[in-house]
Amino acid sequence: MFLKKLKLINFRNYDSCEIDFTGNKIILLGKNAQGKTNLLESIYYLATLSSFRANNDSEVIKKGCNSAFLSAELIKNDTDIEISIAINPPKQKLIKVNGLKKSSYSQYLGHLAVVNFGVSDLLLLRGAPSDRRRWLDDAISQIYPAYKDRLNKYNKIRTQRNNLLKEFKGNFHLNKVQKDTLSVFDEQISISGSNIIHLRQKYLKEVQIIANLKHKKISLEEEDLVLEYNSTITGNFNARESEIINPEKILESYQEAFKEKINEEIARIQTVIGPHRDDVSFYINNIEAKSFASQGQQRTIVLALKLSELDFIENIIGESPVLLLDDVLAELDKTRQNYLLNSIKKDTQTIITTTDISGFNEKFLEDVTVYNIESGKII
Ligand SMILES: Nc1ncnc2c1ncn2[C@@H]1O[C@H](COP(=O)(O)OP(=O)(O)OP(=O)(O)O)[C@@H](O)[C@H]1O
Ligand SMILES: [Mg+2]
């Protein structure tokens, strides 16, 4: 996959910007706060329809403007594709592929694939559970485009269910109408949620194999990495040893779990179980890494995960996704830096941001095109 051209209008600190990429290895060079991460964010947004750092769409629109526009020309399977997004809240985003409007995310996603690896990812283990869910959801959305539609649907039903819980006003004794209405929502949310949990388990099971191999290599065969999905519905799923649970079986666990939690849900006026509350844990040599692993060991895990994501997406779509590396090299020691740079295949288009080019070795710089970024402009 090759990203040829990127156009931005009123995105973050860019007024209007066009950039042609000619090579596979690209460095975006600039001082702090010039727009390097913003540019990677725009590519990520084009690929995933969401930002890796904004909580809502308004944040990515240039201050003082009402809307933003992004488009990309890319080559995938030797075919030219143009994708574009107009962001104009509170209206729905206008998404197009080759000039044709798409009405669902799944029709849009799957054209541009990216793996983003930034400094904040290095905190994945110590971060909030929502960071780890976002990591998982973004990766799965790129492989199964329908996943993002499912997540949206799940979240919509969850909001409706929470509104219903609010109507109960803390009263645990529900009348028949209330019970019936709740059971309709329970059924809908559990069908949606079971699918999400199933796909997350499936993804982790596959990534476990690749990530473990990579982790072993970086840690000089000393460390054994195991991923675990911690579900509020189905309990802990060891990605190496547990069998993937099919959605029908997950539905059964849902029923049990709802029965057990109903009073807590009425008291707290929220849906307290489901994939929106699940988490992922990481074990090194059977010890939970979040609290025990050193910073370097945690970085090794994230590096192994990101490189696995790259391999995994490539295995599925048959082409390497675009790799976005945001300031991350400077945060890795020489061993991990070299492992990362040596792992990047020649045909993987890689866009790296940096404030200082002197840290790169000369051999790597030979095939690199450098773009200077200054106050939202490419120089
Ligand atoms: N919606 C927005 N409208 C206008 N400017 C914005 C918007 N969002 C962010 N900015 C500005 O964009 C600038 C560049 O941000 P960016 O994160 O891309 O910098 P960077 O070049 O990656 O810097 P660093 O090297 O520090 O990571 C910041 O000064 C920020 O205030
Ligand atoms: Mg930055």
Side-chain angles (χ1 to χ4, degrees), residues 12-13 30-39 53 58-63 326-327 355:
R12 295 278 191 190
N13 68 333
K31 294 191 190 130
N32 293 130
Q34 300 305 309
K36 302 181 298 293
T37 303
N38 292 347
L39 203 127
R53 56 178 175 173
S58 307
E59 267 178 58
V60 303
I61 300 171
K62 191 175 167 92
K63 284 195 191 85
D326 193 12
D327 283 337
T355 50

Side-chain angles (χ1 to χ4, degrees), residues 308-368:
S308 307
E309 209 174 309
L310 196 67
D311 278 14
F312 189 56
I313 298 177
E314 180 172 353
N315 288 346
I316 302 258
I317 67 172
E319 271 183 289
S320 175
V322 179
L323 176 62
L324 310 173
L325 296 177
D326 193 12
D327 283 337
V328 81
L329 284 164
E331 294 292 324
L332 298 174
D333 64 14
K334 273 275 168 279
T335 317
R336 292 182 182 86
Q337 240 182 54
N338 286 336
Y339 183 82
L340 171 58
L341 291 177
N342 294 334
S343 305
I344 302 172
K345 294 185 197 132
K346 239 189 150 63
D347 60 354
T348 302
Q349 192 177 23
T350 310
I351 309 181
I352 304 175
T353 69
T354 185
T355 50
D356 178 14
I357 207 153
S358 63
F360 293 86
N361 72 38
E362 275 177 27
K363 178 131 184 30
F364 183 78
L365 289 175
E366 274 171 14
D367 322 313
V368 168

Side-chain angles (χ1 to χ4, degrees), residues 4-253:
K4 265 199 318 192
K5 193 184 195 90
L6 179 70
K7 267 195 221 170
L8 309 178
I9 298 172
N10 297 337
F11 184 87
R12 295 278 191 190
N13 68 333
Y14 290 87
D15 282 325
S16 170
C17 158
E18 259 191 60
I19 176 165
D20 289 292
F21 295 114
T22 46
N24 251 347
K25 301 282 174 276
I26 295 145
I27 287 184
L28 305 176
L29 175 67
K31 294 191 190 130
N32 293 130
Q34 300 305 309
K36 302 181 298 293
T37 303
N38 292 347
L39 203 127
L40 293 191
E41 186 184 22
S42 72
I43 300 171
Y44 186 88
Y45 200 105
L46 278 158
T48 63
L49 289 171
S50 57
S51 158
F52 50 65
R53 56 178 175 173
N55 291 315
N56 62 64
D57 277 345
S58 307
E59 267 178 58
V60 303
I61 300 171
K62 191 175 167 92
K63 284 195 191 85
C65 301
N66 298 320
S67 59
F69 176 81
L70 329 170
S71 75
E73 288 174 31
L74 53 125
I75 305 174
K76 191 184 171 214
N77 294 330
D78 296 323
T79 310
D80 286 295
I81 301 174
E82 194 197 337
I83 51 175
S84 71
I85 309 172
I87 308 171
N88 191 5
K91 286 190 206 149
Q92 275 242 338
K93 302 186 243 284
L94 180 64
I95 48 180
K96 290 185 181 172
V97 178
N98 294 329
L100 295 176
K101 190 181 158 199
K102 299 292 170 189
S103 52
S104 72
Y105 284 4
S106 57
Q107 293 173 349
Y108 172 95
L109 295 169
H111 293 98
L112 174 62
V114 300
V115 169
N116 178 62
F117 186 9
V119 180
S120 57
D121 290 309
L122 294 170
L123 300 171
L124 186 75
L125 272 71
R126 293 248 161 102
S130 58
D131 296 332
R132 291 180 286 277
R133 288 192 295 266
R134 188 190 271 203
W135 157 69
L136 205 51
D137 292 338
D138 285 351
I140 302 172
S141 301
Q142 299 208 59
I143 303 161
Y144 310 107
Y147 183 77
K148 206 166 177 91
D149 284 329
R150 280 186 199 166
L151 271 181
N152 285 343
K153 188 171 165 199
Y154 175 82
N155 286 323
K156 255 190 212 145
I157 306 170
R158 183 161 62 89
T159 308
Q160 291 167 347
R161 189 174 183 274
N162 288 346
N163 287 337
L164 180 70
L165 291 169
K166 202 169 174 183
E167 283 175 23
F168 299 162
K169 297 196 173 101
N171 187 353
F172 299 143
H173 301 288
L174 306 180
N175 61 36
K176 177 153 180 352
V177 177
Q178 288 173 322
K179 273 187 191 159
D180 289 349
T181 320
L182 182 64
S183 73
V184 172
F185 280 111
D186 285 359
E187 189 183 339
Q188 288 181 4
I189 202 169
S190 54
I191 292 173
S192 232
S194 303
N195 265 306
I196 293 168
I197 294 171
H198 173 74
L199 283 173
R200 284 182 180 173
Q201 290 186 349
K202 201 166 157 200
Y203 177 75
L204 286 171
K205 186 117 194 142
E206 309 229 24
V207 159
Q208 160 73 42
I209 301 167
I210 318 176
N212 181 264
L213 288 174
K214 294 198 186 286
H215 191 99
K216 275 222 159 79
K217 269 208 183 114
I218 315 171
S219 67
L220 306 172
E221 305 296 322
E222 287 193 357
E223 295 177 1
D224 182 50
L225 170 69
V226 173
L227 315 179
E228 185 183 79
Y229 185 65
N230 312 116
S231 174
T232 47
I233 306 294
T234 51
N236 294 339
F237 168 83
N238 179 310
R240 177 187 282 155
E241 280 156 20
S242 307
E243 299 252 347
I244 300 171
I245 311 175
N246 64 39
E248 294 74 38
K249 205 103 202 123
I250 301 176
L251 270 178
E252 288 169 23
S253 307

